[in-house]
Amino acid sequence: MAKDFSKMEDSNRSSNPSIHDVSGPSRRTVLRGSLGALTSGLLAPLSAVGGAAALTACASNGMSGGPLLGFKSVPVSTADMIVVPEGYTAQVLAPWGDPAGLSGENHAFKDDGSNTAAQQETQIGMHHDGMHFFSQDGSKSGLLVINHEYTDEGLLFTDGMATWTLEKVRKAQAAHGVSVLEIEDKGGKWEVVKPSPWARRITANTPCEVTGPAAGHPLMQTAADKAGRRVLGTLNNCASGITPWGTYLTAEENFINYFSGGDTPSDHEKRWGLRKGGAGGYRWHEHDARFDAVKNPNEPNRFGWIVEIDPFNPSSTPAKRTALGRGAHEGATVAMTKDGRAVVYMGEDARFEYIYKFVSRDTMKPGGATANATLLDHGTLFVAKFNSDGKGQWIALTHGQGPLTAANGFADQGEVLIKSRQASDLLGATKMDRPEWIDVDKQGWVYTTLTNNSNRGGDKQPAVDAANPRANNTMGNIIRWKEDGDFNGTTFVWNHFVLAGDPSLERADAKGNVKGDMFACPDGLWTDARGVLWIQTDMSTSAMGKGDLKNLGNNMMLAADPRTGEIRRFLTGPSGGEITGATGTPDGKTMFINVQHPGESPTERSDPKAPGAISNWPDKKPGGRPRSATVVIRKKDGGVIGT
């Protein structure tokens, strides 16, 4: 989700020291605002990474140790269109408002924004984000599961928010959540199957089960749900993950923006960024009391979880897995230990928040989703601490250990998980520059995008440190680590894969060290079957074309070779759009990516009187509305993407 940087959540006022605070005096001197002072170990030569293991992995994927990147870079673009390399095609699929394929429901999108709430419940949601393709018939058909992060009411309604009713709130809620679509390749063109027995819309009003240690907790109980075990809806669904037992994980990111608080928020509410009126301006609380945190103070505690969905069982109930902790989660990436336990990596996309991982107690069983229905309900949640020597450790968020006691406000494990931020503050975790998507490469390195943080190093703000080395970090970077031992290890080594930037700029902290095509604000990550690390950017429209971002044009997608560090620009998006979400068919010959919020306004919402002022992609209709959509990318010669 692109954001007006000046309005981003910045709720971490804990006294938890940063690396800068705890390193020795000589170390503090060299780190203070100086990229050049970073140790060579933290910016290790990328060409040396992986070694023989990397070549073996590539050989096993048909590369014989050869180059991973075989396409010609595309230039920076400000055009209102998708630009792909020579020899590639791009096809629009599943835009916001098209029918999702529910039986008996085939309501067409209305260009003037006049579709009803009931119709939107059967249509594809707004502002596509993370997604995954679940193959059914090899690379010919399958289920495409798509997150819908948020809404732009200037596009969603004919008159925007000039009038405000319960009907409008319900339509906005219906445009959130997740779409499960059946898609198939019909003679070289991908289409949504309509109707489909698999089609499903999960919205902000879909019943969800609460599982794990926080299920039934007093802080999860409300007047409407005295048991604290059934929540209506999931929202602000950002990045995604998949499990090896065949389910989909969706993350609830900036959920607090939907809630309106009181004049004097509690310490707990302050730590989570609750504001009177709601920071996002959604105004749901005016017609839906669930989102009035004065009337329903526990309702915000019921959001911010990782939600597990079985896409192959349309009647199944989505489950909020509380053992994985609560946060403004960007996504959830699963790795498996050698003995079969699930490890889930998660970042929390807010300034100065943390990186987490969960390790399951039990091992995965044969039998798919049914056999592993409770695997993510038992285990240990950890938070990361990055030390200045290129090493780090995972600290357990376990009730009764260290400061996580009743005396410090944690009555039990459920409260530790509901208050994961406060727990991490006390444990001394490293405050990061907006940790977003996470992925794992073929050699076991775990990568996280740190999108940006212009507050870093500012007055009364956390200083630069080894893991977050740039003051006024407008450009972002990608950090990575490798566990000591297996993925459940409690210590790791780390370094910076790349510091994004534009080498032509005068400001040293904005130049970066990109080996290839310049970029900024990395967000989405995806490692394909060959080992290519795909990077997607999220520069806010309010910042595009200005300051440090003046030369970078529209948002883009790049491909990186983890062995050499080379980065090439593969795709540029339409005006105002974010490039996000990546998945593909098993044969590697079809890639799906999402364009979120094309035409995004530099202000909070689009002008309903001029919806196409910035973009009218993809329909290109005069007077029409820009629509988020999936894009299908293929090579004209039928080859593997990226070669």
Side-chain angles (χ1 to χ4, degrees), residues 355-627:
I355 295 173
Y356 297 90
K357 80 171 179 182
F358 167 84
V359 179
S360 69
R361 181 192 67 189
D362 304 322
T363 58
M364 188 179 76
K365 302 174 183 176
T370 301
N372 295 283
T374 62
L375 185 58
L376 298 183
D377 289 336
H378 308 284
T380 304
L381 182 67
F382 298 86
V383 66
K385 183 175 183 179
F386 293 80
N387 298 323
S388 58
D389 60 357
K391 298 179 181 180
Q393 62 253 36
W394 293 102
I395 309 170
L397 278 74
T398 302
H399 182 258
Q401 292 185 8
L404 306 185
T405 63
N408 287 322
F410 304 98
D412 49 34
Q413 183 62 18
E415 190 158 2
V416 169
L417 297 168
I418 293 167
K419 297 179 177 178
S420 57
R421 284 185 176 179
Q422 295 97 313
S424 298
D425 293 342
L426 290 176
L427 291 172
T430 303
K431 301 173 183 177
M432 307 298 289
D433 286 349
R434 293 184 56 200
E436 299 217 45
W437 289 62
I438 298 178
D439 211 354
V440 184
D441 75 8
K442 300 297 181 182
Q443 288 75 52
W445 284 93
V446 186
Y447 297 73
T448 298
T449 49
L450 303 176
T451 294
N452 56 47
N453 185 356
S454 57
N455 283 8
R456 175 69 67 176
D459 183 40
K460 298 180 180 180
Q461 298 282 352
V464 298
D465 59 39
N468 305 274
R470 296 192 283 185
N472 183 24
N473 182 13
T474 58
M475 310 304 271
N477 51 294
I478 300 176
I479 197 170
R480 66 179 182 177
W481 64 88
K482 201 167 194 178
E483 308 285 6
D484 292 330
D486 209 339
F487 288 113
N488 62 329
T490 56
T491 58
F492 57 89
V493 295
W494 69 270
N495 60 41
H496 293 284
F497 178 65
V498 65
L499 305 179
D502 176 353
S504 72
L505 298 176
E506 293 184 9
R507 191 169 75 89
D509 276 345
K511 288 178 176 292
N513 66 349
V514 182
K515 187 178 179 181
D517 294 327
M518 63 182 181
F519 69 98
C521 305
D523 191 342
L525 282 180
W526 179 55
T527 302
D528 70 15
R530 294 191 305 119
V532 177
L533 180 67
W534 297 91
I535 304 166
Q536 299 166 317
T537 71
D538 181 14
M539 298 178 288
S540 170
T541 307
S542 62
M544 281 183 184
K546 305 173 186 176
D548 292 341
L549 307 184
K550 63 184 179 181
N551 299 322
L552 292 172
N554 295 343
N555 278 305
M556 62 191 72
M557 182 171 182
L558 308 100
D561 184 340
R563 305 169 304 170
T564 66
E566 180 188 2
I567 297 176
R568 294 187 193 177
R569 189 179 302 107
F570 177 78
L571 172 152
T572 58
S575 300
E578 170 189 347
I579 306 303
T580 184
T583 185
T585 53
D587 62 9
K589 296 180 179 180
T590 300
M591 175 188 284
F592 305 96
I593 62 102
N594 283 327
V595 175
Q596 185 187 106
H597 60 66
E600 179 190 53
S601 172
T603 58
E604 195 165 55
R605 285 168 174 79
S606 297
D607 181 356
K609 296 178 181 178
I614 295 173
S615 172
N616 63 358
W617 185 90
D619 299 333
K620 295 293 184 179
K621 292 182 180 178
R625 280 162 158 66
R627 297 202 274 168

Side-chain angles (χ1 to χ4, degrees), residues 312-337:
F312 293 102
N313 184 358
S315 63
S316 62
T317 301
K320 298 200 175 192
R321 303 296 187 190
T322 67
L324 278 64
R326 178 168 169 260
H329 288 124
E330 178 75 16
T333 299
V334 179
M336 299 300 293
T337 63

Side-chain angles (χ1 to χ4, degrees), residues 17-360:
S18 66
I19 296 173
H20 178 90
D21 300 319
V22 299
S23 21
S26 61
R27 182 65 185 167
R28 288 200 295 269
T29 300
V30 299
L31 279 176
R32 189 172 295 125
S34 173
L35 264 183
L38 280 174
T39 65
S40 59
L42 303 187
L43 289 171
L46 294 172
S47 59
V49 171
L55 297 178
T56 301
C58 289
S60 68
N61 283 288
M63 290 304 297
S64 301
L68 282 180
L69 312 181
F71 61 90
K72 181 181 178 182
S73 295
V74 301
V76 166
S77 172
T78 57
D80 189 26
M81 61 186 294
I82 290 283
V83 178
V84 292
E86 296 174 7
Y88 284 79
T89 64
Q91 173 211 331
V92 174
L93 176 73
W96 157 52
D98 271 15
L102 278 66
S103 179
E105 304 286 354
N106 198 36
H107 304 288
F109 176 76
K110 295 183 179 180
D111 293 320
D112 63 356
S114 62
N115 285 105
T116 65
Q119 290 171 343
Q120 179 62 73
E121 287 178 353
T122 70
Q123 295 172 324
I124 296 167
M126 198 177 202
H127 286 3
H128 302 28
D129 209 320
M131 66 175 168
H132 186 71
F133 176 75
F134 291 85
S135 174
Q136 287 183 302
D137 183 10
S139 297
K140 297 179 180 178
S141 67
L143 302 184
L144 189 65
V145 187
I146 305 173
N147 287 349
H148 304 291
E149 187 176 1
Y150 70 109
T151 50
D152 181 339
E153 285 72 18
L155 302 176
L156 188 62
F157 306 112
T158 301
D159 67 345
M161 303 180 85
T163 60
W164 197 238
T165 64
L166 178 60
E167 165 71 11
K168 283 189 168 183
V169 171
R170 292 293 185 240
K171 182 179 179 183
Q173 291 172 341
H176 282 71
V178 177
S179 293
V180 180
L181 313 174
E182 183 182 1
I183 62 172
E184 63 179 349
D185 182 354
K186 288 190 173 182
K189 181 179 180 181
W190 284 84
E191 297 180 2
V192 176
V193 176
K194 297 175 285 191
S196 167
W198 311 105
R200 186 178 187 185
R201 279 302 325 282
I202 296 167
T203 74
N205 283 303
T206 300
C208 297
E209 174 189 11
V210 182
T211 71
H217 195 279
L219 290 173
M220 298 287 281
Q221 297 170 4
T222 65
D225 175 28
K226 292 181 173 58
R229 295 179 178 272
R230 182 179 179 273
V231 177
L232 289 183
T234 181
L235 50 79
N236 214 260
N237 302 88
C238 199
S240 58
I242 58 169
T243 69
W245 52 92
T247 59
Y248 182 80
L249 302 178
T250 182
E252 300 178 327
E253 192 191 15
N254 297 298
F255 64 91
I256 203 66
N257 292 346
Y258 297 82
F259 292 91
S260 176
D263 293 318
T264 308
S266 66
D267 289 343
H268 174 55
E269 291 171 334
K270 286 179 184 177
R271 185 61 185 88
W272 290 88
L274 183 65
R275 301 180 190 175
K276 186 174 183 178
Y282 291 101
R283 297 174 59 188
W284 290 5
H285 67 283
E286 295 178 20
H287 295 284
D288 188 340
R290 274 204 302 145
F291 296 92
D292 185 334
V294 176
K295 296 178 180 177
N296 292 286
N298 281 349
E299 191 69 25
N301 296 335
R302 293 147 65 85
F303 291 85
W305 304 103
I306 301 299
V307 184
E308 186 173 14
I309 298 167
D310 182 355
F312 293 102
N313 184 358
S315 63
S316 62
T317 301
K320 298 200 175 192
R321 303 296 187 190
T322 67
L324 278 64
R326 178 168 169 260
H329 288 124
E330 178 75 16
T333 299
V334 179
M336 299 300 293
T337 63
K338 293 181 178 66
D339 65 359
R341 282 180 286 169
V343 177
V344 186
Y345 291 102
M346 299 161 283
E348 192 175 4
D349 181 14
R351 289 168 171 162
F352 307 115
E353 296 300 343
Y354 306 118
I355 295 173
Y356 297 90
K357 80 171 179 182
F358 167 84
V359 179
S360 69

